[in-house]
Amino acid sequence: MDKFSDMTLFASIVKNQGLAAAGRELGLSPATVTARLQSLEDRYGVRLLNRSTRHISLTDSGAMYHQACLEIIDSVKETENLLQTGTKEVRGTLKISAPRDIGKQYISPILSEFNQLYPEVIPYLYLNDNLSNLAESGLDIVIRYGELADSNLISRKLASSRRVLCASPQYLAKKGTPITPQDLAQHDCLAMVRSNEELKTWHFQDEEQHNVITVLPKRFSDDGEVIRQWALDGAGIALKSILDVQEDIKKQRLVTVLNGYMKNFNASTSSAGADLNVIYLSRQYQPKRLRLFVDFLIEHFSSLR
């Protein structure tokens, strides 16, 4: 088999998170896929994947090879299109992950505008609040608050943000308004779950001291939009990004509390930890559609500042 076919096979294995699924996509038997992967590892003398009966993960060498595979496959597709149409048309898939609130309020409308300009780009928009391993996920772009600790990633700020505590006027009329972080012990709090971790330890910083409060939430969700809706429904106090709830605050559907404190889910006192960023793999070659969309995103968010 030629090297390009091997690259296509390897990219399919990583994308489908399994050898059998890659075989089904490419019309190959599981034995053929296994043999070709073994031959590929033997050729370079390195292990590319850690494999168990239920899971695969990239080794360091595998991550490097996978990144190169994606770059070369994209480059070949662009070259084929150039030969077939005579122009370097912007086309192909664009896989994006964003938090549900931000995805619905901002990214989906921006993506629709981008698609009108470049109708041959096929977008996939995944809405979730989980942090992804970008190298293994098959995603092109991740939009998240804060930064992912990975030197192989590029992070560019879309918008400055901060976290606010907010509740509906109806809830505050019924339960009262907290004056200090310690008052949250007497309130119904709404908390996120991220990667099976309950984010119920909230950090507050004022000019004098750093307070760590472990709240006793009445409700949990791994979906930020659900947390926001519960707050709108009067179920309790939520710790949200200002970008998620600024329209609700303007229209007085939600009210912020404890405004004299900087708030976060961790001990960092840096406000940059709440900024909204677009994150993508650091690589020399970037598909034109990805470069154009990142610039399009940044331009649109700059108009919101």
Side-chain angles (χ1 to χ4, degrees):
M1 284 291 174
D2 63 88
K3 292 182 179 179
F4 184 75
S5 295
D6 287 339
M7 289 181 171
T8 302
L9 173 64
F10 190 74
S12 180
I13 292 171
V14 176
K15 180 183 72 173
N16 290 288
Q17 282 295 290
L19 278 66
R24 288 192 294 271
E25 180 179 71
L26 299 175
L28 301 172
S29 70
T32 299
V33 175
T34 301
R36 284 182 57 184
L37 177 61
Q38 184 63 56
S39 176
L40 183 61
E41 291 182 325
D42 290 344
R43 180 194 305 160
Y44 296 113
V46 296
R47 178 173 289 278
L48 299 173
L49 292 174
N50 295 311
R51 301 187 289 278
S52 67
T53 55
R54 295 185 178 182
H55 180 69
I56 66 169
S57 62
L58 289 166
T59 64
D60 289 343
S61 296
M64 181 173 61
Y65 180 69
H66 179 243
Q67 181 174 319
C69 290
L70 296 179
E71 293 175 9
I72 291 169
I73 292 168
D74 273 327
S75 181
V76 169
K77 287 180 179 178
E78 285 195 3
T79 301
E80 287 178 336
N81 179 67
L82 180 61
L83 292 172
Q84 292 168 358
T85 66
T87 60
K88 197 170 184 178
E89 188 176 352
V90 180
R91 65 189 309 167
T93 60
L94 190 60
K95 297 186 177 182
I96 305 156
S97 172
R100 192 170 295 272
D101 267 342
I102 287 294
K104 285 189 173 182
Q105 293 187 59
Y106 299 97
I107 307 305
S108 180
I110 291 172
L111 196 51
S112 294
E113 288 186 44
F114 183 79
N115 226 188
Q116 289 177 1
L117 293 174
Y118 306 104
E120 295 302 314
V121 174
I122 301 173
Y124 292 70
L125 180 57
Y126 302 96
L127 301 179
N128 62 73
D129 290 278
N130 295 321
L131 300 178
S132 300
N133 183 324
L134 198 53
E136 297 185 18
S137 67
L139 295 167
D140 297 301
I141 291 172
V142 171
I143 295 166
R144 289 290 182 270
Y145 292 108
E147 299 184 4
L148 301 184
D150 189 331
S151 61
N152 292 317
L153 302 177
I154 294 175
S155 178
R156 297 176 65 182
K157 187 168 77 171
L158 292 176
S160 297
S161 188
R162 56 190 171 86
R163 292 193 171 94
V164 296
L165 279 176
C166 55
S168 70
Q170 295 80 8
Y171 171 85
L172 295 175
K174 179 181 177 181
K175 293 280 192 172
T177 300
I179 305 302
T180 68
Q182 288 75 16
D183 293 341
L184 292 173
Q186 310 304 319
H187 282 270
D188 300 337
C189 294
L190 312 171
M192 286 287 297
V193 178
R194 181 180 295 157
S195 301
N196 296 320
E197 178 188 2
E198 297 177 354
L199 302 183
K200 59 186 181 181
T201 301
W202 295 354
H203 295 256
F204 299 83
Q205 181 72 43
D206 61 13
E207 294 181 356
E208 297 181 355
Q209 62 181 334
H210 176 216
N211 291 284
V212 181
I213 305 297
T214 300
V215 297
L216 298 174
K218 294 295 185 180
R219 300 184 187 183
F220 290 94
S221 178
D222 65 349
D223 188 328
E225 186 185 31
V226 170
I227 298 288
R228 170 174 163 262
Q229 188 59 55
W230 283 342
L232 289 167
D233 292 342
I237 297 176
L239 182 56
K240 294 289 294 176
S241 164
I242 187 64
L243 291 174
D244 292 340
V245 295
Q246 59 186 0
E247 286 301 313
D248 299 318
I249 293 168
K250 287 178 184 176
K251 295 178 180 178
Q252 299 183 330
R253 296 188 293 252
L254 292 175
V255 177
T256 60
V257 298
L258 296 178
N259 293 323
Y261 296 85
M262 185 165 63
K263 310 157 194 75
N264 214 330
F265 289 122
N266 55 52
S268 171
T269 58
S270 170
S271 60
D275 289 345
L276 186 69
N277 297 289
V278 54
I279 300 163
Y280 50 96
L281 284 170
S282 172
R283 57 194 191 201
Q284 186 175 4
Y285 170 79
Q286 295 288 355
K288 187 175 181 181
R289 61 189 179 276
L290 191 152
R291 298 195 305 270
L292 288 171
F293 184 66
V294 169
D295 291 341
F296 198 75
L297 268 179
I298 291 171
E299 180 181 352
H300 275 65
F301 272 94
S302 66
S303 67
L304 301 175
R305 296 172 188 168

